[in-house]
Amino acid sequence: MRRYDGMKKTRKSGKPISADGIARLADQGKDVSRFFKGQGRMVQPIQRVNVDVTAAMLEELDRAAKDLNVSRQAVIKTLVRQALDQHYLAQRARRPQPTS
């Protein structure tokens, strides 16, 4: 007489698929939705740029990075983001407001 233990046998999944593997499947037109849970956000592609700054400005950036305990790159990105946000706010403020 066989005993029934109530546990279903589940198939062990193999090695997790890499992002490149998922990309290849997508390129082949296969459905890759099973690999995603709908969480997170899309990350924009990164573009590398070169910026020339004076030695004094570089020292200021390095001091700020040290004070904030982050990388120089993080300081530069943060300052550029803040400057762009201020630019957009100033543009919006200059637009003529519709009269009602």
Side-chain angles (χ1 to χ4, degrees):
M1 184 174 187
R2 295 181 85 185
R3 248 178 70 201
Y4 177 70
D5 63 8
M7 297 287 288
K8 279 187 173 182
K9 289 187 180 182
T10 58
R11 191 179 129 228
K12 286 189 178 182
S13 60
K15 186 171 94 176
I17 188 165
S18 69
D20 288 335
I22 295 170
R24 276 192 296 279
L25 290 172
D27 289 342
Q28 295 168 4
K30 304 245 171 98
D31 179 17
V32 294
S33 60
R34 68 182 185 271
F35 298 108
F36 302 96
K37 296 178 182 174
Q39 299 170 332
R41 60 184 174 88
M42 289 293 293
V43 177
Q44 297 296 317
I46 301 293
Q47 296 234 322
R48 191 170 297 275
V49 297
N50 294 322
V51 179
D52 297 327
V53 297
T54 64
M57 187 182 289
L58 193 58
E59 288 174 11
E60 285 183 77
L61 288 167
D62 286 340
R63 272 196 306 274
K66 185 177 179 185
D67 291 344
L68 297 167
N69 197 29
V70 295
S71 68
R72 179 194 296 160
Q73 183 179 25
V75 171
I76 292 169
K77 287 179 178 181
T78 301
L79 292 173
V80 169
R81 177 74 269 155
Q82 288 174 349
L84 287 171
D85 290 345
Q86 286 179 347
H87 170 73
Y88 296 134
L89 285 172
Q91 273 187 332
R92 201 175 303 142
R94 283 193 300 259
R95 280 194 205 130
Q97 300 299 322
T99 54
S100 10

